[in-house]
mmCIF file of all heavy atoms in Angstrom:
data_model
loop_
_atom_site.group_PDB
_atom_site.id
_atom_site.type_symbol
_atom_site.label_atom_id
_atom_site.label_comp_id
_atom_site.label_asym_id
_atom_site.label_seq_id
_atom_site.Cartn_x
_atom_site.Cartn_y
_atom_site.Cartn_z
ATOM 1 N N PHE A 232 0.819 -1.209 0.000
ATOM 2 C CA PHE A 232 0.000 0.000 0.000
ATOM 3 C C PHE A 232 0.858 1.267 0.000
ATOM 4 O O PHE A 232 0.487 2.276 -0.588
ATOM 5 C CB PHE A 232 -0.957 0.002 1.189
ATOM 6 C CG PHE A 232 -2.006 -1.062 1.102
ATOM 7 C CD1 PHE A 232 -2.331 -1.825 2.207
ATOM 8 C CD2 PHE A 232 -2.670 -1.323 -0.092
ATOM 9 C CE1 PHE A 232 -3.298 -2.811 2.123
ATOM 10 C CE2 PHE A 232 -3.640 -2.306 -0.184
ATOM 11 C CZ PHE A 232 -3.951 -3.059 0.930
ATOM 12 N N GLU A 233 2.006 1.175 0.653
ATOM 13 C CA GLU A 233 2.933 2.310 0.655
ATOM 14 C C GLU A 233 3.448 2.587 -0.759
ATOM 15 O O GLU A 233 3.511 3.731 -1.203
ATOM 16 C CB GLU A 233 4.097 1.987 1.598
ATOM 17 C CG GLU A 233 4.785 3.174 2.185
ATOM 18 C CD GLU A 233 5.772 2.719 3.235
ATOM 19 O OE1 GLU A 233 5.362 2.560 4.398
ATOM 20 O OE2 GLU A 233 6.953 2.494 2.872
ATOM 21 N N VAL A 234 3.817 1.533 -1.483
ATOM 22 C CA VAL A 234 4.281 1.687 -2.865
ATOM 23 C C VAL A 234 3.161 2.239 -3.734
ATOM 24 O O VAL A 234 3.382 3.119 -4.568
ATOM 25 C CB VAL A 234 4.790 0.328 -3.421
ATOM 26 C CG1 VAL A 234 4.946 0.364 -4.922
ATOM 27 C CG2 VAL A 234 6.093 -0.057 -2.756
ATOM 28 N N MET A 235 1.952 1.735 -3.521
ATOM 29 C CA MET A 235 0.817 2.222 -4.316
ATOM 30 C C MET A 235 0.533 3.695 -4.030
ATOM 31 O O MET A 235 0.163 4.446 -4.931
ATOM 32 C CB MET A 235 -0.431 1.374 -4.031
ATOM 33 C CG MET A 235 -0.346 -0.007 -4.640
ATOM 34 S SD MET A 235 -1.711 -1.102 -4.166
ATOM 35 C CE MET A 235 -3.098 -0.264 -4.880
ATOM 36 N N ALA A 236 0.716 4.100 -2.785
ATOM 37 C CA ALA A 236 0.464 5.498 -2.440
ATOM 38 C C ALA A 236 1.511 6.413 -3.051
ATOM 39 O O ALA A 236 1.202 7.525 -3.486
ATOM 40 C CB ALA A 236 0.436 5.658 -0.920
ATOM 41 N N VAL A 237 2.758 5.962 -3.100
ATOM 42 C CA VAL A 237 3.848 6.805 -3.599
ATOM 43 C C VAL A 237 3.966 6.716 -5.110
ATOM 44 O O VAL A 237 4.047 7.727 -5.805
ATOM 45 C CB VAL A 237 5.181 6.414 -2.918
ATOM 46 C CG1 VAL A 237 6.352 7.158 -3.517
ATOM 47 C CG2 VAL A 237 5.105 6.667 -1.424
ATOM 48 N N GLN A 238 3.946 5.498 -5.660
ATOM 49 C CA GLN A 238 4.213 5.279 -7.073
ATOM 50 C C GLN A 238 2.947 5.125 -7.912
ATOM 51 O O GLN A 238 3.030 5.171 -9.129
ATOM 52 C CB GLN A 238 5.065 4.010 -7.255
ATOM 53 C CG GLN A 238 6.379 4.022 -6.535
ATOM 54 C CD GLN A 238 7.444 4.786 -7.292
ATOM 55 O OE1 GLN A 238 7.435 4.804 -8.517
ATOM 56 N NE2 GLN A 238 8.345 5.419 -6.570
ATOM 57 N N GLY A 239 1.837 4.851 -7.256
ATOM 58 C CA GLY A 239 0.631 4.512 -8.004
ATOM 59 C C GLY A 239 0.653 3.034 -8.336
ATOM 60 O O GLY A 239 1.488 2.270 -7.855
ATOM 61 N N THR A 240 -0.253 2.600 -9.201
ATOM 62 C CA THR A 240 -0.310 1.181 -9.550
ATOM 63 C C THR A 240 0.481 0.888 -10.820
ATOM 64 O O THR A 240 0.399 -0.197 -11.368
ATOM 65 C CB THR A 240 -1.778 0.744 -9.751
ATOM 66 O OG1 THR A 240 -2.360 1.580 -10.759
ATOM 67 C CG2 THR A 240 -2.551 0.841 -8.470
ATOM 68 N N GLY A 241 1.273 1.829 -11.284
ATOM 69 C CA GLY A 241 1.996 1.662 -12.539
ATOM 70 C C GLY A 241 3.312 0.913 -12.409
ATOM 71 O O GLY A 241 3.964 0.652 -13.411
ATOM 72 N N ASN A 242 3.745 0.571 -11.198
ATOM 73 C CA ASN A 242 5.024 -0.124 -11.030
ATOM 74 C C ASN A 242 4.774 -1.507 -10.407
ATOM 75 O O ASN A 242 4.879 -1.672 -9.196
ATOM 76 C CB ASN A 242 5.965 0.711 -10.156
ATOM 77 C CG ASN A 242 7.393 0.231 -10.246
ATOM 78 O OD1 ASN A 242 7.656 -0.890 -10.659
ATOM 79 N ND2 ASN A 242 8.312 1.082 -9.845
ATOM 80 N N PRO A 243 4.477 -2.507 -11.239
ATOM 81 C CA PRO A 243 4.154 -3.840 -10.698
ATOM 82 C C PRO A 243 5.343 -4.521 -10.033
ATOM 83 O O PRO A 243 5.163 -5.352 -9.149
ATOM 84 C CB PRO A 243 3.677 -4.621 -11.913
ATOM 85 C CG PRO A 243 4.130 -3.874 -13.100
ATOM 86 C CD PRO A 243 4.329 -2.451 -12.685
ATOM 87 N N ARG A 244 6.568 -4.177 -10.435
ATOM 88 C CA ARG A 244 7.736 -4.819 -9.834
ATOM 89 C C ARG A 244 7.853 -4.478 -8.348
ATOM 90 O O ARG A 244 8.136 -5.339 -7.517
ATOM 91 C CB ARG A 244 9.001 -4.388 -10.581
ATOM 92 C CG ARG A 244 10.236 -5.136 -10.134
ATOM 93 C CD ARG A 244 11.389 -4.772 -11.007
ATOM 94 N NE ARG A 244 11.064 -5.132 -12.382
ATOM 95 C CZ ARG A 244 11.830 -5.856 -13.164
ATOM 96 N NH1 ARG A 244 12.984 -6.261 -12.721
ATOM 97 N NH2 ARG A 244 11.475 -6.155 -14.380
ATOM 98 N N LEU A 245 7.639 -3.212 -8.001
ATOM 99 C CA LEU A 245 7.699 -2.828 -6.595
ATOM 100 C C LEU A 245 6.536 -3.429 -5.810
ATOM 101 O O LEU A 245 6.704 -3.819 -4.647
ATOM 102 C CB LEU A 245 7.697 -1.302 -6.454
ATOM 103 C CG LEU A 245 8.990 -0.596 -6.858
ATOM 104 C CD1 LEU A 245 8.819 0.915 -6.795
ATOM 105 C CD2 LEU A 245 10.134 -1.040 -5.972
ATOM 106 N N MET A 246 5.368 -3.515 -6.429
ATOM 107 C CA MET A 246 4.226 -4.139 -5.752
ATOM 108 C C MET A 246 4.480 -5.628 -5.538
ATOM 109 O O MET A 246 4.107 -6.185 -4.508
ATOM 110 C CB MET A 246 2.937 -3.916 -6.550
ATOM 111 C CG MET A 246 2.470 -2.485 -6.459
ATOM 112 S SD MET A 246 0.904 -2.076 -7.240
ATOM 113 C CE MET A 246 0.230 -3.512 -7.876
ATOM 114 N N ALA A 247 5.134 -6.283 -6.491
ATOM 115 C CA ALA A 247 5.420 -7.716 -6.360
ATOM 116 C C ALA A 247 6.353 -7.994 -5.195
ATOM 117 O O ALA A 247 6.198 -9.004 -4.496
ATOM 118 C CB ALA A 247 6.013 -8.252 -7.656
ATOM 119 N N SER A 248 7.325 -7.118 -4.962
ATOM 120 C CA SER A 248 8.223 -7.351 -3.827
ATOM 121 C C SER A 248 7.458 -7.237 -2.510
ATOM 122 O O SER A 248 7.714 -7.990 -1.570
ATOM 123 C CB SER A 248 9.401 -6.385 -3.861
ATOM 124 O OG SER A 248 8.983 -5.076 -3.530
ATOM 125 N N GLY A 249 6.512 -6.314 -2.439
ATOM 126 C CA GLY A 249 5.689 -6.206 -1.231
ATOM 127 C C GLY A 249 4.780 -7.403 -1.046
ATOM 128 O O GLY A 249 4.551 -7.864 0.076
ATOM 129 N N ILE A 250 4.266 -7.915 -2.169
ATOM 130 C CA ILE A 250 3.392 -9.096 -2.078
ATOM 131 C C ILE A 250 4.196 -10.314 -1.638
ATOM 132 O O ILE A 250 3.730 -11.125 -0.836
ATOM 133 C CB ILE A 250 2.656 -9.331 -3.411
ATOM 134 C CG1 ILE A 250 1.638 -8.215 -3.621
ATOM 135 C CG2 ILE A 250 1.982 -10.691 -3.442
ATOM 136 C CD1 ILE A 250 0.971 -8.202 -4.960
ATOM 137 N N SER A 251 5.424 -10.458 -2.124
ATOM 138 C CA SER A 251 6.234 -11.587 -1.646
ATOM 139 C C SER A 251 6.608 -11.396 -0.184
ATOM 140 O O SER A 251 6.709 -12.364 0.562
ATOM 141 C CB SER A 251 7.458 -11.826 -2.513
ATOM 142 O OG SER A 251 8.198 -10.679 -2.696
ATOM 143 N N MET A 252 6.785 -10.124 0.238
ATOM 144 C CA MET A 252 7.016 -9.890 1.670
ATOM 145 C C MET A 252 5.775 -10.240 2.480
ATOM 146 O O MET A 252 5.871 -10.466 3.683
ATOM 147 C CB MET A 252 7.390 -8.425 1.927
ATOM 148 C CG MET A 252 8.846 -8.119 1.675
ATOM 149 S SD MET A 252 9.260 -6.396 1.961
ATOM 150 C CE MET A 252 8.737 -6.141 3.624
ATOM 151 N N ALA A 253 4.610 -10.273 1.826
ATOM 152 C CA ALA A 253 3.377 -10.621 2.526
ATOM 153 C C ALA A 253 3.134 -12.123 2.549
ATOM 154 O O ALA A 253 2.575 -12.646 3.517
ATOM 155 C CB ALA A 253 2.189 -9.921 1.871
ATOM 156 N N THR A 254 3.524 -12.835 1.516
ATOM 157 C CA THR A 254 3.192 -14.266 1.442
ATOM 158 C C THR A 254 4.286 -15.180 1.995
ATOM 159 O O THR A 254 3.979 -16.202 2.601
ATOM 160 C CB THR A 254 2.892 -14.672 -0.013
ATOM 161 O OG1 THR A 254 3.989 -14.302 -0.838
ATOM 162 C CG2 THR A 254 1.628 -14.000 -0.510
ATOM 163 N N ILE A 255 5.529 -14.833 1.790
ATOM 164 C CA ILE A 255 6.626 -15.717 2.231
ATOM 165 C C ILE A 255 6.652 -15.906 3.749
ATOM 166 O O ILE A 255 6.796 -17.037 4.215
ATOM 167 C CB ILE A 255 7.977 -15.228 1.666
ATOM 168 C CG1 ILE A 255 8.002 -15.468 0.160
ATOM 169 C CG2 ILE A 255 9.138 -15.915 2.346
ATOM 170 C CD1 ILE A 255 9.236 -14.956 -0.537
ATOM 171 N N PRO A 256 6.511 -14.852 4.569
ATOM 172 C CA PRO A 256 6.506 -15.102 6.021
ATOM 173 C C PRO A 256 5.332 -15.972 6.478
ATOM 174 O O PRO A 256 5.484 -16.783 7.394
ATOM 175 C CB PRO A 256 6.403 -13.709 6.632
ATOM 176 C CG PRO A 256 6.916 -12.795 5.599
ATOM 177 C CD PRO A 256 6.542 -13.411 4.293
ATOM 178 N N THR A 257 4.188 -15.820 5.824
ATOM 179 C CA THR A 257 3.041 -16.655 6.184
ATOM 180 C C THR A 257 3.352 -18.117 5.898
ATOM 181 O O THR A 257 3.110 -18.996 6.733
ATOM 182 C CB THR A 257 1.792 -16.220 5.401
ATOM 183 O OG1 THR A 257 1.568 -14.842 5.642
ATOM 184 C CG2 THR A 257 0.579 -17.017 5.812
ATOM 185 N N MET A 258 3.905 -18.377 4.709
ATOM 186 C CA MET A 258 4.270 -19.736 4.346
ATOM 187 C C MET A 258 5.327 -20.280 5.311
ATOM 188 O O MET A 258 5.227 -21.412 5.787
ATOM 189 C CB MET A 258 4.806 -19.779 2.918
ATOM 190 C CG MET A 258 5.284 -21.147 2.506
ATOM 191 S SD MET A 258 6.540 -21.179 1.234
ATOM 192 C CE MET A 258 7.802 -20.115 1.841
ATOM 193 N N ALA A 259 6.333 -19.473 5.623
ATOM 194 C CA ALA A 259 7.403 -19.930 6.518
ATOM 195 C C ALA A 259 6.854 -20.225 7.916
ATOM 196 O O ALA A 259 7.238 -21.229 8.541
ATOM 197 C CB ALA A 259 8.500 -18.873 6.589
ATOM 198 N N GLY A 260 5.959 -19.379 8.403
ATOM 199 C CA GLY A 260 5.361 -19.619 9.720
ATOM 200 C C GLY A 260 4.539 -20.891 9.751
ATOM 201 O O GLY A 260 4.573 -21.648 10.724
ATOM 202 N N MET A 261 3.805 -21.156 8.668
ATOM 203 C CA MET A 261 2.993 -22.368 8.612
ATOM 204 C C MET A 261 3.872 -23.622 8.523
ATOM 205 O O MET A 261 3.604 -24.622 9.197
ATOM 206 C CB MET A 261 2.036 -22.321 7.415
ATOM 207 C CG MET A 261 1.005 -21.230 7.523
ATOM 208 S SD MET A 261 0.025 -21.393 8.997
ATOM 209 C CE MET A 261 -1.380 -22.195 8.335
ATOM 210 N N VAL A 262 4.907 -23.571 7.708
ATOM 211 C CA VAL A 262 5.814 -24.720 7.584
ATOM 212 C C VAL A 262 6.511 -24.986 8.919
ATOM 213 O O VAL A 262 6.638 -26.142 9.351
ATOM 214 C CB VAL A 262 6.839 -24.489 6.450
ATOM 215 C CG1 VAL A 262 7.945 -25.511 6.488
ATOM 216 C CG2 VAL A 262 6.137 -24.509 5.100
ATOM 217 N N ALA A 263 6.943 -23.917 9.583
ATOM 218 C CA ALA A 263 7.594 -24.080 10.891
ATOM 219 C C ALA A 263 6.627 -24.717 11.887
ATOM 220 O O ALA A 263 6.998 -25.626 12.632
ATOM 221 C CB ALA A 263 8.082 -22.727 11.398
ATOM 222 N N ALA A 264 5.389 -24.249 11.894
ATOM 223 C CA ALA A 264 4.405 -24.791 12.833
ATOM 224 C C ALA A 264 4.077 -26.249 12.518
ATOM 225 O O ALA A 264 3.942 -27.065 13.431
ATOM 226 C CB ALA A 264 3.130 -23.948 12.791
#
């Protein structure tokens, strides 16, 4: 959301890094559990 607020929705690469920051920890926490 921070990237979207600053850059808009025109930069998918920056949004993708935020989305991976959102999904990878969830996956890692579930695998650990």
Side-chain angles (χ1 to χ4, degrees):
F232 293 136
E233 206 172 273
V234 166
M235 288 173 64
V237 174
Q238 302 279 328
T240 57
N242 195 341
R244 187 174 300 232
L245 287 175
M246 288 184 3
S248 72
I250 291 172
S251 52
M252 278 179 56
T254 55
I255 290 176
T257 304
M258 176 206 53
M261 295 302 262
V262 168

